[in-house]
Amino acid sequence: MVERESDDSTEPADVLVLRKGTHGVPIERYADALRDRLPDLTVRLARTPAAERELIRDAEFVTGMALEEDRLERAENLEVFACAYAGTGHLPMDRLEQQGVAVTNASGVHGPNIGEHVLGSILRFTRRFHVGDRRQRRREWRHYQAHELQGSTVTVVGLGAIGEAVCERLEPFGVETIGVRYSPEKGGPTDEVVGFEPDPFHEALARTDYLVLACPLTETTRGLVDRDALVTLDPGAVLVNVARGPVVDTDALVDAVRSNWIRGAALDVTDPEPLPEEHPLWNFENVRITPHNSGHTPKYYERLADIVAENARRFYEDSGVELENRVDF
């Protein structure tokens, strides 16, 4: 049995866990998962604001969902902040860079669950389960037409850990895949790779049956799926967005659904988010909305702890090995 450190102690911690959790799962599970993997290091959970302010003063290695400016001001010895999210746009990155703090993220943690979410969304539209649900509610035994995924073309925008997980799960279905990434010369797990330039991107859209957005939100991807993109898609195409809401022009999407420019959309993210109750997207039968839920998995803290514990070992062993998932400033 691993000895648990008292969370109310003010003794310095080798690894300090900040108190904010995610997905409704107690943050204690993350701290325990780290302790299981780091029996030779002191892992301490700062369970209150006061504990955070006190313990972060001497901490060299800190992990958490966020790092507020006032906490960073107190962090006199901080060398590594292991962000517990894949995205780091919410962090004070300029300040962290100025203070020489290395930042890592949780890239790869979401691959299996978001990959499954995307596959489920595609299959729902392929086999038109929403139509079956409606007929079951009406107790109506009447056949309806469906589609077949085999032979379709799936375009995946973003070939990071999530995009790769999507492609891996699509492989047994006999589809053609097109990847979109900043550096197409790097290739990827798809049959073809193109860049974000308008001409190759729109040429890919014209051949696409299912468009999966799994990219970060950047100046390049903001509004990427605009009116031109939606008109270029085949009317039988389906949009699946597990990236960020602003990657899609929401007004153009509403017009696309109303005017049958596309067959439908599965949206785990929206713009704005949360989606207001009166928004028209709620009312379309061929739009499937989930509340930014594709990231939920009971394995989140376990996968995150694997990454962060390995980085803590590398840090304290001074092995010279680069930290995993290190973020470039």
Side-chain angles (χ1 to χ4, degrees), residues 56-61 74-80 101 315:
I56 204 169
R57 191 180 303 279
D58 297 316
E60 296 179 283
F61 193 107
R74 294 172 175 267
E76 299 174 359
N77 299 301
L78 183 61
E79 294 193 41
V80 177
V101 179
F315 174 73

Side-chain angles (χ1 to χ4, degrees), residues 30 107 109 131 134 138 151 168 203 217 236 246 283 305 312 318 328:
Y30 177 38
S107 177
V109 170
V131 177
R134 183 177 72 242
R138 295 175 177 176
E168 180 182 346
E203 287 172 7
L217 179 62
N283 300 320
D318 195 22
D328 293 328

Side-chain angles (χ1 to χ4, degrees), residues 115-133:
E116 291 171 4
H117 185 98
V118 169
L119 185 59
S121 298
I122 290 174
L123 290 174
R124 176 182 184 270
F125 277 96
T126 301
R127 300 309 302 168
R128 301 187 71 200
F129 291 135
H130 56 293
V131 177
D133 288 342

